[in-house]
Amino acid sequence: MGNSGYTCIRRMFCSFNVLIWICGGGFLAIGVWLRFAAPGYATLLPDHAGLSADYVFMAIGAISFVIAFFGCCGSWFESRCFLIIYFMLVVMLFLSEFLLGSLAFVFRGGIGRMLVHELKYGIEKHYNVTDRGGILAPSVASIWDKLQVELQCCGVSSYEDWYDISAWPGERWVPRSCCRPRYGSVYTEGSGDDLAGGDCRKSGDPSLLWDKSCGQILQMWFIQRLHVVGIVGLVIAFLQLFGLISSMLIFCTVKHKRKSSKTYKSYSPSVDTTLNRNSTGTYLDD
């Protein structure tokens, strides 16, 4: 590879990793901010709190930060050790993504049922009417009430998910955030479980409640954005492929340059082309 081509690839690779390094730091900062600003969202999945948005952002940020560090230092200092570590990390990341994606596709039904079960378990065991939490740490009740009002939904699968929960054992009630506004049952954020209007949550009339489930709305929202997921996946795969090829090109070029610098040209001693003659002036035979 010529010096100009090598320099171009090296600078592009270094700039690329600097950008990934900055993005990784940004994701890490967002995850930390979510952890302290909205820690209550993790309790929606009490047995799988690691799947909450804050932990996901922190994991993505930390992985990107570390990988980009090795790539940037490897290209800048022309370190073969850092470059090979970068290559191995990207390969392991790619294989992990492929494995997780394949498992998620194969077991998509089981994963969906697990999420529904965990959300219902959070409603049944962790919904507390009197516990509204705070601004920095909203409770499960506050989160579910806000979610149902904004999405205009009720329950995970249906409004019956709210029946006989720990907040009102033995009762077929729903939270007032499930009530439709036109029936005078408007839920006001920050008002706890108090309601200005009729008590539709105890009426047992489904026509007074939102007719769609939150799980159904979230599923439709995700399906409508599958093309975005596909585009993001292709972009990530292309960036990883670019990183793998560039790191190997730089690695091989650095190895070749160092090997060439240690090789010295050997010069043969000059051969005397003059023919030896004896004292009589005749040429000596070999």
Side-chain angles (χ1 to χ4, degrees):
M1 182 185 299
N3 289 332
S4 59
Y6 167 74
T7 303
C8 178
I9 292 178
R10 179 167 165 260
R11 290 180 178 178
M12 286 180 58
F13 183 71
C14 186
S15 302
F16 165 75
N17 280 281
V18 169
L19 179 62
I20 298 297
W21 185 76
I22 295 174
C23 292
F27 276 108
L28 187 60
I30 292 174
V32 173
W33 176 78
L34 287 175
R35 179 59 184 163
F36 290 99
Y41 283 91
T43 58
L44 291 178
L45 297 173
D47 293 338
H48 299 83
L51 297 177
S52 59
D54 50 355
Y55 285 112
V56 172
F57 272 100
M58 284 191 288
I60 294 175
I63 293 173
S64 303
F65 192 89
V66 172
I67 293 178
F69 170 80
F70 283 106
C72 185
C73 291
S75 60
W76 182 263
F77 297 107
E78 296 183 332
S79 172
R80 291 187 297 168
C81 179
F82 279 10
L83 288 172
I84 200 64
I85 292 176
Y86 172 86
F87 183 86
M88 294 174 62
L89 289 176
V90 174
V91 169
M92 288 190 294
L93 179 62
F94 178 80
L95 294 177
S96 300
E97 292 170 350
F98 179 78
L99 179 62
L100 290 176
S102 301
L103 292 176
F105 178 78
V106 173
F107 300 103
R108 59 189 182 277
I111 294 176
R113 289 190 295 270
M114 182 270 293
L115 291 176
V116 169
H117 172 74
E118 288 297 321
L119 290 173
K120 289 182 178 180
Y121 180 80
I123 288 176
E124 181 181 356
K125 300 298 183 182
H126 296 274
Y127 188 91
N128 189 347
V129 176
T130 59
D131 181 16
R132 308 307 300 178
I135 298 177
L136 297 180
S139 65
V140 175
S142 177
I143 294 171
W144 267 110
D145 289 337
K146 183 177 180 180
L147 182 69
Q148 292 185 141
V149 170
E150 292 182 353
L151 298 182
Q152 298 182 355
C153 59
C154 184
V156 181
S157 301
S158 69
Y159 60 89
E160 295 181 354
D161 296 334
W162 294 102
Y163 289 177
D164 193 23
I165 64 174
S166 60
W168 42 76
E171 302 291 346
R172 298 171 64 87
W173 296 348
V174 297
R176 288 197 171 101
S177 56
C178 284
C179 297
R180 294 174 180 267
R182 66 172 177 266
Y183 294 107
S185 300
V186 181
Y187 174 79
T188 304
E189 178 67 23
S191 63
D193 204 41
D194 295 331
L195 185 68
D199 195 2
C200 81
R201 73 186 187 98
K202 300 180 181 179
S203 65
D205 186 359
S207 63
L208 303 180
L209 311 176
W210 299 116
D211 56 350
K212 293 183 179 180
S213 65
C214 297
Q216 180 183 4
I217 293 179
L218 291 175
Q219 183 180 12
M220 290 301 300
W221 180 88
F222 180 76
I223 292 176
Q224 292 173 356
R225 289 160 178 79
L226 276 178
H227 64 284
V228 178
V229 177
I231 293 174
V232 171
L234 290 176
V235 171
I236 292 176
F238 173 78
L239 294 177
Q240 290 176 344
L241 182 62
F242 171 78
L244 290 174
I245 296 175
S246 300
S247 61
M248 278 296 97
L249 286 175
I250 297 174
F251 177 85
C252 295
T253 305
V254 170
K255 182 179 180 181
H256 177 72
K257 288 175 62 178
R258 292 183 178 179
K259 184 178 180 180
S260 300
S261 63
K262 295 179 181 179
T263 304
Y264 299 93
K265 294 183 179 180
S266 58
Y267 296 93
S268 300
S270 57
V271 179
D272 188 4
T273 56
T274 60
L275 298 176
N276 295 329
R277 300 175 182 176
N278 57 11
S279 57
T280 60
T282 60
Y283 293 104
L284 296 176
D285 295 333
D286 293 334

